């Protein structure tokens, strides 16, 4: 089967007509520990919810545009507890995703032990198009891959919905 080219994020989310779901399963993703947003967060910087212009970015524009077309965008994160420092960083910034219109939930990894999960993080668009997110051992992006295999889409949809049903909405989840 020939591999499909990986669409850009605007193309991928632009193709969604009903739903776009994202499952994240890593406790850390590669970041520059010496500079950038994670390092700034480690140094004590926190986004001010009232100062939207200081944290709004192109990704959030894309999410807001997608949601404004009636597409439901949901993100679920499976996390180890106590959470990693990187997960704390994600948690502190998740209000920006919510402000853009994403629904976000958190599931402690111990509650996911009996769920059949794909081996990689993914986006599932309209229950049929899977965009795999591949990572290296140290968490750097190793690129994406697209699949329209119905069995793969079904696995991802079932895994996501099971995680979603068990997970705690962002507003109620308390990190440990």
């Amino acid at each position: 089967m020939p591999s499909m080219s990986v669409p850009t994020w605007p193309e991928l989310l632009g193709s969604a007509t009903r739903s776009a779901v994202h499952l994240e399963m890593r406790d850390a993703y590669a970041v520059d520990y010496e500079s950038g947003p994670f390092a700034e967060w480690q140094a004590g910087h926190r986004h001010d919810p009232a100062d939207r212009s200081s944290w709004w970015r192109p990704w959030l524009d894309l999410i807001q545009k997608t949601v404004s077309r009636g597409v439901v965008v949901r993100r679920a994160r499976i996390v180890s507890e106590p959470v990693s420092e990187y997960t704390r960083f994600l948690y502190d910034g998740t209000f920006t995703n919510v402000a853009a219109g994403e629904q976000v939930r958190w599931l402690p990894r111990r509650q996911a032990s009996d769920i059949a999960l794909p081996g990689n993080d993914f986006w599932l668009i309209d229950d049929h198009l899977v965009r795999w997110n591949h990572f290296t051992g140290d968490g750097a992006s190793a690129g994406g891959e697209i699949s329209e295999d119905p069995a793969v889409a079904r696995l991802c949809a079932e895994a996501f919905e099971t995680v979603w049903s068990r997970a705690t909405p962002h507003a109620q989840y308390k990190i440990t």
Side-chain angles (χ1 to χ4, degrees):
M1 176 179 196
S3 68
M4 299 172 57
S5 65
V6 178
T8 64
W9 292 112
E11 291 168 342
L12 183 71
L13 292 177
S15 73
T17 60
R18 296 179 320 281
S19 65
V21 301
H22 185 195
L23 183 61
E24 296 177 332
M25 299 181 282
R26 298 179 60 94
D27 287 319
Y29 295 86
V31 295
D32 187 339
Y33 286 86
E34 296 177 4
S35 65
F38 184 61
E40 292 166 4
W41 178 85
Q42 287 177 308
H45 172 77
R46 298 297 183 268
H47 292 301
D48 177 356
D51 184 12
R52 189 180 192 119
S53 66
S54 71
W55 48 262
W56 199 260
R57 55 195 184 278
W59 175 255
L60 299 174
D61 282 333
L62 179 58
I63 294 299
Q64 186 177 49
K65 181 178 178 183
T66 302
V67 170
S68 73
R69 292 191 343 265
V71 176
V72 176
V73 179
R74 297 183 292 162
R75 178 186 307 256
R77 292 181 172 136
I78 298 174
V79 296
S80 298
E81 291 181 327
V83 300
S84 68
E85 186 176 25
Y86 188 82
T87 297
R88 286 182 185 281
F89 163 69
L90 289 177
Y91 179 85
D92 281 351
T94 295
F95 78 88
T96 66
N97 300 78
V98 173
E102 271 189 67
Q103 299 172 39
V104 180
R105 292 188 180 183
W106 302 80
L107 182 66
R109 191 169 309 282
R110 287 180 181 266
Q111 295 177 26
S113 296
D114 62 345
I115 302 172
L117 297 167
N120 294 289
D121 290 10
F122 64 85
W123 280 87
L124 177 61
I125 306 300
D126 293 334
D127 294 318
H128 78 274
L129 178 69
V130 177
R131 198 258 192 217
W132 299 112
N133 295 333
H134 297 297
F135 296 95
T136 64
D138 65 1
S141 176
E145 181 182 359
I146 296 294
S147 174
E148 289 187 306
D149 180 323
V152 169
R154 190 169 36 260
L155 168 68
C156 291
E158 290 172 1
F160 184 87
E161 292 305 329
T162 301
V163 168
W164 189 258
S165 71
R166 293 182 188 183
T168 303
H170 177 69
Q172 284 86 46
Y173 182 69
K174 304 301 177 211
I175 59 174
T176 62

